[in-house]
Amino acid sequence: MITRKSKREIEQMQAAGDVLVACHKAIAGMIKPGVTTMEINNFVEEFLAERGATPEQKGYNGYPYAICASINDEICHGFPREEQLKDGDIVTIDMVVNLNGGLADSAWTYAVGEVDGVGKRLMEVTKSALYKGIEQAQVGKRIGDIGHAIQTYAEAEGFSVVRDFTGHGIGPTIHEDPHIPHFGLPNKGLRLKEGMVITIEPMINEGSWESQMDENNWTARTIDKGRSAQYEHTIVITKNGPLLTTDQDKE
Ligand code: MF3
Ligand code: CO
């Protein structure tokens, strides 16, 4: 079901977003060669608990951890683990924060030490692709406009767009209708309305867009070992344009 949120619900989602943003900023300071994604997971558990928030992903459809941590060729839903990050890795940390029932969902790709030129470019293009999609998140625009903006930009830059995972409506649960593909045709699909809250979360690959599932039945990775980056925001559709509850650049 597609819901439109009340002012009060949006305020709760923004409060969750504020906690999530602070958490991502703290993680940014932890990322370096030698740190493990399990350490980051445990840090997030504590960070949220201290603020009266909970990691909504933990237990969601049986997912075992507070965060997803996807390294290099892992596209999404990587498991945190006791393996040290290495100089040159890229790692995507994705989490959903629940604060008093309000949810916020944001993923961010971090460079570990010095990443090579293509890896840096992949990260930049993926982040810009997210913002190209966000520009389309306007009352009266259609879902296809979002995917089209992302796909045409990312492909023109020589990268590919993952098809098997999409953005989504969010609240009261993590994944609500509608699906928000990161590819598509302009002026097609559902029309966006005021009060809808969605995520846009392009996963962009340096090689083929195709994914395969690990034996853990969660982690998707590229079929050609190429790297994948991802940036995600939670976005409220308002008559004044897209409102990011997970914006890291606010004062
Ligand atoms: N933030 C993730 C997404 O948007 C949530 C994944 S659910 C989990 O798809 F259970 F895998 F964590
Ligand atoms: Co999401």
Side-chain angles (χ1 to χ4, degrees):
M1 195 179 60
I2 298 174
T3 57
R4 294 163 72 184
K5 273 70 174 178
S6 68
K7 185 160 173 273
R8 177 164 165 71
E9 286 168 322
I10 291 166
E11 281 165 7
Q12 282 178 328
M13 295 181 88
Q14 181 61 68
D18 292 346
V19 173
L20 200 166
V21 166
C23 191
H24 262 309
K25 287 185 172 171
I27 290 168
M30 291 177 75
I31 302 281
K32 53 177 184 307
V35 78
T36 72
T37 48
M38 192 59 83
E39 283 164 5
I40 297 168
N41 180 77
N42 296 342
F43 168 80
V44 168
E45 292 243 17
E46 262 178 56
F47 187 97
L48 299 185
E50 283 166 5
R51 287 158 184 80
T54 54
E56 186 74 4
Q57 292 186 149
K58 192 172 177 177
Y60 177 80
N61 290 340
Y63 185 78
Y65 301 102
I67 62 170
C68 299
S70 307
I71 304 168
N72 294 332
D73 66 322
E74 294 169 349
I75 294 170
C76 63
H77 306 161
F79 282 7
R81 51 191 185 258
E82 309 284 356
E83 174 194 326
Q84 295 185 346
L85 292 173
K86 301 183 306 298
D87 187 53
D89 284 345
I90 65 171
V91 59
T92 301
I93 307 293
D94 188 1
M95 73 183 100
V96 182
V97 170
N98 182 330
L99 183 68
N100 302 318
L103 299 185
D105 186 358
S106 180
W108 214 252
T109 300
Y110 297 97
V112 183
E114 197 53 43
V115 170
D116 68 42
V118 177
K120 279 192 198 145
R121 186 81 197 125
L122 176 68
M123 292 173 63
E124 282 167 13
V125 167
T126 306
K127 195 196 283 184
S128 298
L130 165 61
Y131 283 91
K132 303 252 179 218
I134 288 169
E135 277 173 26
Q136 301 297 316
Q138 310 275 354
V139 173
K141 290 259 190 187
R142 293 172 151 210
I143 285 175
D145 296 322
I146 296 174
H148 182 71
I150 292 169
Q151 182 180 19
T152 48
Y153 169 70
E155 291 181 353
E157 294 294 331
F159 296 124
S160 70
V161 177
V162 170
R163 306 280 206 275
D164 301 334
F165 301 89
T166 67
H168 48 89
I170 178 168
T173 75
I174 299 183
H175 290 151
E176 300 276 335
D177 288 336
H179 286 279
I180 313 285
H182 305 109
F183 55 93
L185 296 173
N187 209 25
K188 295 275 180 207
L190 185 90
R191 223 174 263 288
L192 297 169
K193 296 206 179 88
E194 189 178 3
M196 288 173 53
V197 185
I198 61 171
T199 72
I200 303 178
E201 50 181 303
M203 286 144 271
I204 305 293
N205 296 350
E206 63 177 331
S208 164
W209 60 264
E210 287 172 278
S211 69
Q212 60 189 0
M213 189 57 77
D214 276 9
E215 270 171 23
N216 66 14
N217 259 315
W218 275 105
T219 308
R221 67 178 69 235
T222 61
I223 59 165
D224 59 6
K225 300 262 183 337
R227 288 166 293 184
S228 187
Q230 182 184 25
Y231 294 83
E232 172 182 25
H233 278 307
T234 299
I235 299 139
V236 186
I237 308 300
T238 84
K239 57 178 186 298
N240 303 318
L243 171 75
L244 312 185
T245 67
T246 50
D247 189 2
Q248 298 188 20
D249 300 325
K250 275 191 292 209
E251 51 356 317

